[in-house]
Amino acid sequence: GIGFDLPILHRRAMLQDISVAPGMYHALTKRQEYNTDHFDLMLMLAGRNPFSGKLETKSLDYYLYRFGIGQKLDSWDGSKVYPAWKEGWFDDIEKYCRHDVEMTATLFERVAPWLIAPRKQEAVQQAAA
């Protein structure tokens, strides 16, 4: 999302000389409460610690379990991607990433009615169709 995925993708685009529309990166990485273009699910589901006020995020696997959706692939997490890449296990990396995206999309669909205003939900659904 905002804190990891988008900055990495933006930097990789620059390094690979891939054109990105001016302003798109900034539009997608605005603070979540002002952002109507990108929904960072981790931030939207996070809660504030009542004592420190700090944002407390949980893992995707935590939310998948809590909402009864399923779980991430056994024995795989993001820390295994680079070693797998060095070994040339590209099919395994693709399987892991695809599953992660599918599970994130399923979680988003499950919680969207509580997180997104109805008018914005219609726009999101139309864009997905």
Side-chain angles (χ1 to χ4, degrees):
I2 292 172
F4 179 77
D5 299 311
L6 288 172
I8 294 295
L9 290 170
H10 190 248
R11 188 169 340 158
R12 293 304 303 168
M14 288 189 285
L15 291 170
Q16 299 296 319
D17 198 25
I18 297 171
S19 178
V20 176
M24 183 176 80
Y25 176 73
H26 296 290
L28 294 175
T29 57
K30 285 187 280 186
R31 287 178 53 138
Q32 189 61 68
E33 59 267 27
Y34 304 114
N35 201 326
T36 59
D37 300 305
H38 173 247
F39 300 105
D40 189 321
L41 196 52
M42 179 184 278
L43 291 179
M44 294 177 84
L45 292 173
R48 293 223 176 258
N49 181 299
F51 302 106
S52 69
K54 290 184 178 180
L55 201 58
E56 293 183 342
T57 60
K58 305 283 187 191
S59 69
L60 174 60
D61 219 19
Y62 170 85
Y63 288 115
L64 294 174
Y65 173 77
R66 294 293 293 166
F67 286 98
I69 294 171
Q71 62 184 29
K72 293 176 70 165
L73 291 178
D74 290 337
S75 75
W76 262 89
D77 64 38
S79 70
K80 303 221 169 124
V81 172
Y82 182 64
W85 178 80
K86 287 189 345 187
E87 295 292 326
W89 299 344
F90 305 119
D91 290 340
D92 291 335
I93 295 169
E94 179 187 357
K95 181 180 176 184
Y96 163 73
C97 291
R98 180 179 303 277
H99 183 74
D100 234 37
V101 168
E102 289 169 351
M103 297 307 282
T104 301
T106 301
L107 176 61
F108 180 77
E109 289 170 359
R110 167 70 169 78
V111 300
W114 290 272
L115 300 175
I116 304 171
R119 196 170 53 140
K120 189 63 180 178
Q121 281 183 26
E122 291 171 14
V124 169
Q125 289 169 348
Q126 288 173 357

